[in-house]
């Protein structure tokens, strides 16, 4: 639970800075959009629990969602990071920030009960 919370805090901060920095939104607009985005995730979670999907269906849904994130990262985020980082230290910092968000999710999956055979 703590790792998921840690990941979500890092994710929401990154979203906020992206919306205010690159998106040009005001602080209030960025906070409102982050809140609505969070509610959509909650709604999706409620639908998945209420619909009683099979483990295979949930795996397929998660795989598609992961593919969307990878596509956005590869086509939008990485080129922007590459264009704005002039020094090798900036690129190392980018990789460390990625790890800061990705490692907690990996740690959660180490003891993921429904994935055991």
């Amino acid at each position: 639970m703590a790792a998921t919370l840690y990941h979500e805090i890092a994710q929401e901060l990154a979203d906020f800075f992206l919306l205010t920095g690159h998106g040009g939104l005001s602080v209030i607009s960025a906070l409102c959009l982050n809140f609505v985005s969070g509610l959509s995730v909650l709604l999706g979670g409620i639908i998945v629990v209420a619909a009683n999907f099979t483990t295979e269906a949930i795996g397929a849904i998660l795989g598609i969602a992961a593919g969307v994130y990878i596509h956005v990262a590869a086509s939008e985020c990485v080129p922007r990071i590459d264009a704005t980082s002039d020094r090798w230290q900036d690129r190392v910092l980018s990789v460390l920030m990625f790890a800061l968000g990705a490692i907690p999710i990996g740690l959660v999956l180490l003891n993921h009960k429904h994935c055991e055979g």
Side-chain angles (χ1 to χ4, degrees):
M1 178 74 173
T4 303
L5 183 62
Y6 167 72
H7 167 79
E8 284 302 315
I9 289 171
Q11 178 67 42
E12 294 306 320
L13 282 173
D15 289 347
F16 175 77
F17 289 126
L18 185 69
L19 290 170
T20 55
H22 291 289
L25 296 176
S26 69
V27 171
I28 297 299
S29 296
L31 289 174
C32 288
L33 285 174
N34 256 353
F35 180 72
V36 170
S37 173
L39 287 180
S40 71
V41 170
L42 181 64
L43 178 63
I46 291 170
I47 290 170
V48 166
V49 169
N52 197 20
F53 289 113
T54 65
T55 303
E56 291 82 13
I58 291 174
I61 291 168
L62 291 174
I64 292 168
V68 169
Y69 274 108
I70 291 169
H71 171 73
V72 169
S75 64
E76 294 290 330
C77 299
V78 172
R80 289 183 186 196
I81 291 169
D82 190 46
T84 59
S85 58
D86 298 329
R87 304 174 312 149
W88 68 270
Q89 292 96 338
D90 294 334
R91 293 177 188 206
V92 169
L93 183 62
S94 296
V95 170
L96 290 175
M97 291 298 109
F98 173 80
L100 185 70
I103 289 173
I105 294 302
L107 292 174
V108 167
L109 295 177
L110 288 177
N111 194 19
H112 208 226
K113 297 290 184 213
H114 81 269
C115 291
E116 294 177 359

